[in-house]
Amino acid sequence: MLQALPRIGRRRALLGSAAAFVVFGLLLWWLLPLGEESPSGTVRFSTGTPTGVYQKYGTLLQDAIAKDLPRLDVRLQNSDGSQENVQRVATGQADFTIAAADAVETYLLHGKPGAKRLRGCARLYDDYVHLVVPRSSSVRSVADLRNKTVAVGPSGSGVRLIANHVLQAAGLDPAEDIRPVADGIATMPDLLKRHKIDAFFWSGGLPTSAVVELSKTDSIRLVPIGSKLIKKLHEQGGASRYYRAAVMPADAYPKAQRGMSVQTLAVANYLITREDADAELTQELTRTVIASRDRIGAVVHAAQLVDLRTAIYTDPLPLHEGARRYYRSIKP
């Protein structure tokens, strides 16, 4: 009896080792994507102007993708903004982009080339409308811009689209009642400093670095856009239904706001692609966008507002199948 004990001990040890090996193998299978490779190839991502939030967000997202999807080559393309971004993706000049909901809706309503191929991946963050004037300006409302020289953004920009809608809601003809200047955020601040313009519109995430820098060197104000204009905008229908009342917090531009919040309007931004984009690629890229929120948000504060609970709402665009797979995979 005493001699049998060592044999039982050895048997138990062998069984224990085998069980441990099986458990270790299962852990490896769970933790490592054995037999799977991350998506590869080249992706063209249309961003925005060099000093705008789209460009900064795109650059940081490119870094995040390089870590999560190392076999993917992401190439950024500067653009004038939302309207050009939508057109590029719809016509195959870019694969992914960020664009505001009003620009997407406008493209769809006009039935432009490739409109029906557009798909959403995620709702990202909101753009806030800025109407910037010198602190000494007599402009206190949008209606006060009559006969003023106003920078409204390039023709392909989202700011041009939203500025035109806001001006019309205030009873102004964008072509006749102001002197429009087709400059963007890269040059607007300098034009204002040199008194070449009386005001400029900008639509972007908070805070926009170009406005921050301008507020440090020049005394500026942000003109409020009140609830009456919001009502007028909604009466316009079409793309204007995506604008909603918002409050620019007092700490967005402390030197310009001097502790005061500003009534304005906001519009959601989406990550978009085309229907024919690879489903696995779209799934993994959407995953990276959501997972990198905090990393990107540490630099681009607007990105902190990316929220998994609202990311699926990309109206008027249906979700791409790859994005849909991602959201299903994380559903509790």
Side-chain angles (χ1 to χ4, degrees), residues 157-181:
S157 67
V159 64
R160 170 69 71 90
L161 183 66
I162 204 167
N164 285 349
H165 285 152
V166 170
L167 288 165
Q168 289 164 359
L172 300 177
D173 185 325
E176 300 292 336
D177 293 329
I178 66 167
R179 293 183 291 275
V181 176

Side-chain angles (χ1 to χ4, degrees), residues 21-164:
F21 182 78
V22 170
V23 170
F24 180 69
L26 287 172
L27 282 172
L28 277 179
W29 175 82
W30 178 261
L31 294 173
L32 298 178
L34 299 177
E36 295 182 3
E37 290 185 338
S38 65
S40 62
T42 299
V43 167
R44 299 161 299 170
F45 197 111
S46 189
T47 56
T49 57
T51 56
V53 177
Y54 283 2
Q55 174 64 23
K56 186 176 290 186
Y57 184 93
T59 300
L60 293 168
L61 181 59
Q62 182 184 41
D63 293 339
I65 293 171
K67 294 177 182 177
D68 294 350
L69 305 169
R71 300 174 68 239
L72 205 61
D73 178 17
V74 178
R75 299 182 182 180
L76 303 183
Q77 303 171 341
N78 288 346
S79 80
D80 285 338
S82 280
Q83 293 192 81
E84 185 173 16
N85 284 346
V86 174
Q87 183 266 335
R88 280 181 177 176
V89 170
T91 58
Q93 299 172 62
D95 304 302
F96 290 86
T97 193
I98 306 170
D102 60 333
V104 173
E105 175 76 340
T106 298
Y107 199 89
L108 294 176
L109 287 174
H110 290 171
K112 293 186 176 181
K116 293 182 179 180
R117 301 167 63 199
L118 292 169
R119 294 292 183 271
C121 299
R123 176 175 175 156
L124 300 177
Y125 59 88
D126 290 342
D127 276 349
Y128 287 72
V129 177
H130 303 52
L131 176 52
V132 182
V133 297
R135 183 159 292 278
S136 59
S137 172
S138 61
V139 174
R140 298 288 169 179
S141 69
V142 177
D144 293 336
L145 292 174
R146 188 180 296 274
N147 298 324
K148 303 292 186 185
T149 304
V150 185
V152 293
S155 60
S157 67
V159 64
R160 170 69 71 90
L161 183 66
I162 204 167
N164 285 349

